[in-house]
Amino acid sequence: MATSDYKISEAKKKEMAALLIIYLMHRHKKRFPILLEKDDKYLEPIFEYLLAQESIIIDEESYAISENGRNTYRVFMKRYSDFIVSFDVYSAVDLASGEFAFEKYFQIEDERSWDEYLEEERFEDLRIAVAVHKGIDPGEMVFLSFLHDGILDDKIGNSGWQFDLISGKLWEEIVAIIKSALTEDDLAYEEGGEEISGEMVLKDIIAQGAKLNQALWKDEGQYLKEEYPEIIEIEDGVYEAYLIDDKHKDKIWTRKYF
């Protein structure tokens, strides 16, 4: 997949917008009256979609999540948890030295210092390149990163987010990030007259990241279990498949939301 001409289909936009509404209703206990008010009126096509998918029901004068909707939320949170435990490690990699910022994950305890460390110019974000290599839609990868980094919550906290969601502004931001991201081809280099392909570099980075994840999440998985009960179980040896096959991904990525 060439990210330079990446586009988000209308069907995918509607799906991710619907996921955001389910997230708000389930995680944040946000209630939407059947007669949508003020800026929420812009969301009417999304609620029509959720009703058609039987993901929500009408409960007296408000919308409520159905069992189908709760299943969708569980799939969403499992993908979100796998994003954290399998892909976040690739968000800051020093290509010159081969160092991963997450190697110091346990050494920098202050959150502000950690954020400043991740922002060092030497680190490159390779999550999109890794996602494309594994056959995962990069648009969803950025959407999940927006959720993880609090960007979605910040947007929802601002007035007019409903219009931005429907008008396409959010998706334009996502596409711009994908088009500007490093690709596999960008990782190629020459050493001693020999051409090292971007694919070889990325495969090595993926393997190093899997080893690092194995160490990072040995104990930290408990945090996710407490924060998001629906997450993927993190067990000993879970990353072995990632080391054997650079294109391996958890089966949750093949599950449909609706």
Side-chain angles (χ1 to χ4, degrees):
M1 177 191 294
T3 56
S4 59
D5 56 0
Y6 177 80
K7 295 180 181 179
I8 302 178
S9 69
E10 292 303 314
K12 191 65 178 179
K13 290 177 185 178
K14 186 171 289 186
E15 181 184 76
M16 287 194 287
L19 289 172
L20 180 57
I21 297 302
I22 287 181
Y23 170 77
L24 289 173
M25 293 176 68
H26 194 292
R27 180 72 177 168
H28 291 283
K29 309 301 180 186
K30 184 172 177 57
R31 295 187 65 82
F32 291 93
I34 297 171
L35 297 176
L36 296 171
E37 303 170 340
K38 299 180 180 179
D39 285 350
D40 284 346
K41 291 180 180 179
Y42 291 116
L43 302 175
E44 187 172 344
I46 307 304
F47 279 96
E48 290 176 353
Y49 173 81
L50 287 168
L51 282 169
Q53 300 298 323
E54 299 183 346
S55 297
I56 57 175
I57 57 174
I58 295 174
D59 181 13
E60 296 183 355
E61 296 182 356
S62 298
Y63 291 109
I65 297 179
S66 67
E67 185 56 34
N68 280 350
R70 284 188 284 274
N71 287 335
T72 294
Y73 179 78
R74 282 190 282 270
V75 174
F76 185 42
M77 285 298 100
K78 285 181 178 179
R79 285 199 193 182
Y80 175 63
S81 68
D82 192 58
F83 164 80
I84 295 173
V85 302
S86 298
F87 293 91
D88 209 29
V89 73
Y90 301 107
S91 65
V93 181
D94 185 337
L95 292 172
S97 67
E99 178 186 358
F100 285 67
F102 276 74
E103 291 173 23
K104 294 186 177 180
Y105 184 74
F106 291 118
Q107 298 174 32
I108 304 176
E109 297 182 358
D110 178 69
E111 186 174 348
R112 182 176 178 180
S113 297
W114 173 250
D115 289 341
E116 290 176 352
Y117 179 61
L118 291 180
E119 290 298 320
E120 290 186 10
E121 290 186 6
R122 63 195 179 99
F123 291 126
E124 300 285 359
D125 190 339
L126 301 179
R127 287 177 295 184
I128 291 174
V130 172
V132 171
H133 184 81
K134 290 177 179 288
I136 294 173
D137 185 343
E140 185 165 354
M141 188 63 52
V142 177
F143 186 71
L144 290 170
S145 74
F146 276 11
L147 178 61
H148 182 45
D149 296 338
I151 295 174
L152 281 182
D153 285 331
D154 288 345
K155 289 181 180 295
I156 293 165
N158 296 326
S159 62
W161 68 270
Q162 300 94 330
F163 180 74
D164 288 346
L165 188 66
I166 298 302
S167 68
K169 185 177 180 181
L170 175 64
W171 316 122
E172 290 172 5
E173 288 181 39
I174 289 176
V175 169
I177 289 172
I178 292 169
K179 287 186 174 183
S180 64
L182 285 178
T183 66
E184 185 175 289
D185 291 340
D186 293 327
L187 304 179
Y189 68 96
E190 187 176 310
E191 184 176 52
E194 180 183 358
E195 181 73 23
I196 309 299
S197 71
E199 182 182 14
M200 290 176 62
V201 174
L202 191 59
K203 283 184 176 182
D204 183 57
I205 289 171
I206 289 172
Q208 289 183 56
K211 289 180 182 178
L212 181 54
N213 276 330
Q214 200 165 34
L216 286 174
W217 292 104
K218 185 176 181 180
D219 299 314
E220 288 295 295
Q222 186 60 35
Y223 155 75
L224 281 179
K225 290 180 184 178
E226 294 170 357
E227 190 73 7
Y228 297 96
E230 306 88 354
I231 67 130
I232 297 167
E233 291 292 325
I234 303 168
E235 302 171 349
D236 289 343
V238 73
Y239 291 106
E240 294 303 320
Y242 291 87
L243 294 170
I244 295 170
D245 180 8
D246 55 278
K247 292 195 175 183
H248 174 77
K249 58 190 175 190
D250 192 277
K251 60 185 179 182
I252 195 62
W253 293 98
T254 63
R255 289 270 305 276
K256 291 184 178 180
Y257 286 122
F258 301 100

